[in-house]
Amino acid sequence: MDYIKAVQDISHGSKLAKIYTFGCQQNENDSERIAGILSDMGYGLTDDVNRADFVVFNTCAIRENAEKKVYGILGSIKHVKEMKREMIIALCGCMANEEHNREKIKKTFNWVDIVFGTNSIHRLPGLLYERLQSKKQIISEDEDNQVHEGIKTKRQSKIRAGVPIMYGCNNFCSYCIVPYVRGRERSRSEEDILKEVVEAKHGGCKEIMLLGQNVNSYGGGGDNFARLLEHVSDTGIERIRFMTSHPKDISESVIKVMAERDNICNSLHLPLQSGSSKILKAMNRKYTKEWYLEKVDMIKSYIPDIALTTDIIVGFPGETTPDFEETLDVLGKVRFDMIYSFIFSPRKGTPAEKMEDVISDEEKKRNFERMLDFQNEISLQKNLVLKDAEEYVLTEGESKTNSDFMTGRTESNKIVNFKGDKSLEGEIVKVKITEVGTFSLTGEIKGLR
Ligand code: 5AD
Ligand code: SF4
């Protein structure tokens, strides 16, 4: 049955949808696919939930506060739904694949109409049709672990596009919920990936971010990701980035391709998680502190000016303050351009949920703050090197804080604000860096590239 047409046939007049997206870039991309399907069914998009006929919560389960945020907003729109009975509310994404959340929605949030998992986006028209016909709450299960192609994408940005290359994760880091909610690794075909890159390029896109929980195991691992990178580079798209790379899998062949190709950005996100080999073992990360440092040396030997970023978890069960200081030691040695840091959040059903803490929450927080101070100084020092340098900046749009300024990113992914107007949007411009902060740079435009 053609459910897209069926939904169009039973819904009258113009309809609006509001999508809330939480979490990572994969979720952002999933939301763009949901928007594509909704537009095929005749829905326009709105930012105003009060005007929406269909509301989608694309959720994240990585930490407790991500889940809390979803329930908070969900609770706050209950009264909108009460006033507008025909409004349909759907919840999808990682929370939708957790049994305890499904139960909670059944019991406490029974006014949520449809729940569907991360690998059921293509089934949305069928589920919506079923809901419109039956008026019953629909809690669906992912039917398979396959890649589903042919879903139209309605992108948020014309300039930068996320392109998934694989879904799921096989690594089972002991703190992480992702393998449970996104299933086992499966890769898209190179043909489908390249087709999407070329289409985006023809639509004016300048930067592609290849997405996957562990892009280095694309196509089963080995040199497959390096070959894919070469072929994506051959499309001539201006800038290529990729994330995320598990340090245990990143190969010399990938770094060589990065070094050889001008359109692959010299920046790499390489999550460390902890600098203590003892904690890394408990996290099931499959590398040691020394091994990570050797990888970084290898990477810097090919690309000395590479911008490295990382993820760190503070307060993993069993982590003492001396263990935590091993993390500071690695931060001091690698000198990342930026870190994304999190306090450990126990996730239901993961091995780390049952592991015991050895220090208090206060001590964890103190360590966390200490790490931020330590890293901010490094980030500032690294940015200071760029003062008076000329950088190529891909202009993304108007600065949010000052409409006389445009904002964009260097190849190394640093934010740069500079005086300019909207005609520069999507252009790569040469900017001389005049002021330097910890999190962003300011500059003067010197010309187009
Ligand atoms: N608690 C805190 N941080 C987590 N991450 C993943 N799971 C957890 C958790 N349970 C962090 C990791 C990962 C990033 C996306 O989120 O650092 O790399
Ligand atoms: Fe989670 Fe580890 Fe998989 Fe990353 S590699 S998604 S941290 S299990």
Side-chain angles (χ1 to χ4, degrees):
M1 182 164 171
D2 181 353
Y3 287 113
I4 291 186
K5 190 165 177 310
V7 170
Q8 282 171 342
D9 288 347
I10 53 174
S11 36
H12 305 288
S14 63
K15 297 265 178 189
L16 289 174
K18 157 90 185 159
I19 305 176
Y20 289 96
T21 309
F22 304 85
C24 64
Q25 270 146 327
Q26 182 57 58
N27 256 20
E28 301 271 346
N29 190 265
D30 286 347
S31 285
E32 292 180 342
R33 286 170 205 268
I34 292 168
I37 295 176
L38 288 172
S39 114
D40 279 348
M41 288 192 291
Y43 283 86
L45 291 182
T46 176
D47 277 336
D48 181 1
V49 70
N50 296 295
R51 294 177 62 213
D53 305 284
F54 187 41
V55 184
V56 182
F57 283 81
N58 189 6
T59 65
C60 170
I62 198 98
R63 283 173 291 276
E64 193 187 356
N65 54 7
E67 296 197 0
K68 273 195 177 145
K69 237 190 266 171
V70 169
Y71 283 122
I73 302 180
L74 203 51
S76 75
I77 65 160
K78 187 178 181 193
H79 74 280
V80 184
K81 165 110 179 170
E82 276 165 0
M83 286 187 301
K84 199 170 167 183
R85 292 253 161 231
E86 71 285 8
M87 177 189 252
I88 304 275
I89 297 179
L91 186 144
C92 62
C94 293
M95 279 169 68
N97 276 356
E98 288 181 297
E99 203 42 51
H100 67 277
N101 277 319
R102 295 154 71 85
E103 284 306 312
K104 184 163 171 175
I105 289 157
K106 257 189 230 168
K107 286 199 189 108
T108 320
F109 292 82
N110 58 2
W111 43 275
V112 170
D113 301 278
I114 304 170
V115 175
F116 62 98
T118 49
N119 207 27
S120 296
I121 292 173
H122 62 291
R123 292 170 57 213
L124 177 57
L127 296 170
L128 181 55
Y129 177 77
E130 199 183 325
R131 173 64 187 82
L132 290 169
Q133 295 293 53
S134 79
K135 312 273 186 231
K136 273 202 222 120
Q137 188 182 43
I138 294 166
I139 310 248
S140 81
E141 303 257 354
D142 280 346
E143 284 173 342
D144 58 35
N145 200 39
Q146 309 287 310
V147 173
H148 296 279
E149 292 293 348
I151 306 175
K152 192 173 97 182
T153 308
K154 197 171 158 89
R155 295 196 184 279
Q156 286 252 324
S157 160
K158 272 190 112 163
I159 302 162
R160 298 161 78 211
V163 174
I165 65 166
M166 59 184 305
Y167 301 98
C169 183
N170 290 354
N171 290 310
F172 291 94
C173 301
S174 62
Y175 51 81
C176 186
I177 197 68
V178 169
Y180 303 89
V181 292
R182 284 200 174 264
R184 294 296 67 73
E185 283 177 1
R186 57 232 181 252
S187 294
R188 293 179 77 190
S189 76
E190 190 168 304
E191 194 188 343
D192 286 318
I193 295 165
L194 293 176
K195 192 166 144 237
E196 196 173 333
V197 172
V198 169
E199 273 171 15
K201 183 177 175 230
H202 288 160
C205 173
K206 299 286 167 65
E207 182 177 306
I208 287 290
M209 170 75 89
L210 301 175
L211 298 172
Q213 300 301 336
N214 181 15
V215 290
N216 298 284
S217 56
Y218 173 74
D223 285 341
N224 286 327
F225 182 56
R227 297 293 82 78
L228 176 72
L229 266 181
E230 280 178 331
H231 297 151
V232 174
S233 166
D234 288 340
T235 64
I237 187 100
E238 301 256 6
R239 282 184 172 182
I240 301 160
R241 302 185 192 279
F242 54 89
M243 76 183 296
T244 296
S245 294
H246 194 307
K248 79 178 166 59
D249 292 321
I250 191 150
S251 65
E252 202 161 336
S253 57
V254 165
I255 304 301
K256 274 188 188 156
V257 176
M258 286 178 79
E260 280 162 18
R261 302 289 182 124
D262 283 344
N263 60 349
I264 304 179
C265 293
N266 284 348
S267 74
L268 183 67
H269 186 62
L270 199 63
L272 167 68
Q273 313 297 3
S274 167
S276 147
S277 296
K278 175 189 111 187
I279 296 299
L280 286 168
K281 192 161 198 301
M283 286 176 163
N284 192 28
R285 289 291 285 179
K286 303 193 173 83
Y287 54 85
T288 59
K289 173 186 181 183
E290 291 70 29
W291 194 93
Y292 185 96
L293 288 169
E294 273 170 32
K295 271 274 141 128
V296 169
D297 284 345
M298 180 275 284
I299 295 165
K300 287 182 175 170
S301 75
Y302 283 98
I303 314 170
D305 62 344
I306 192 149
L308 289 171
T309 56
T310 200
D311 291 343
I312 306 283
I313 298 176
V314 174
F316 186 81
E319 185 185 71
T320 60
T321 294
D323 294 329
F324 160 76
E325 282 163 349
E326 299 274 321
T327 302
L328 294 186
D329 186 46
V330 177
L331 298 191
K333 289 191 162 110
V334 176
R335 297 177 60 80
F336 293 101
D337 288 76
M338 198 161 88
I339 67 169
Y340 299 87
S341 47
F342 313 100
I343 289 192
F344 171 71
S345 166
R347 305 286 67 212
K348 242 193 177 66
T350 61
E353 185 202 0
K354 302 266 182 312
M355 297 178 188
E356 304 236 342
D357 277 337
V358 290
I359 59 173
S360 65
D361 286 354
E362 288 68 40
E363 196 168 346
K364 286 184 185 184
K365 275 201 198 101
R366 264 201 308 277
N367 288 343
F368 187 77
E369 296 296 328
R370 197 175 148 200
M371 183 173 75
L372 291 189
D373 289 344
F374 187 76
Q375 176 59 38
N376 285 349
E377 186 53 34
I378 295 174
S379 296
L380 181 62
Q381 292 297 332
K382 293 211 77 171
N383 286 348
L384 276 169
V385 175
L386 294 177
K387 180 127 170 37
D388 299 326
E390 289 187 339
E391 289 280 319
Y392 288 110
V393 175
L394 171 57
T395 319
E396 286 163 27
E398 233 171 49
S399 149
K400 284 195 184 98
T401 47
N402 183 342
S403 61
D404 291 340
F405 278 73
M406 297 299 286
T407 188
R409 280 172 194 267
T410 63
E411 200 193 319
S412 57
N413 220 8
K414 293 183 194 282
I415 296 171
V416 183
N417 297 305
F418 56 96
K419 241 186 193 144
D421 60 53
K422 280 207 126 194
S423 66
L424 297 173
E425 213 168 86
E427 299 289 343
I428 296 184
V429 293
K430 201 188 225 179
V431 175
K432 182 173 176 188
I433 306 302
T434 52
E435 278 175 57
V436 168
T438 307
F439 304 108
S440 68
L441 313 169
T442 308
E444 274 165 18
I445 185 162
K446 291 290 169 191
L448 296 179
R449 190 168 74 171

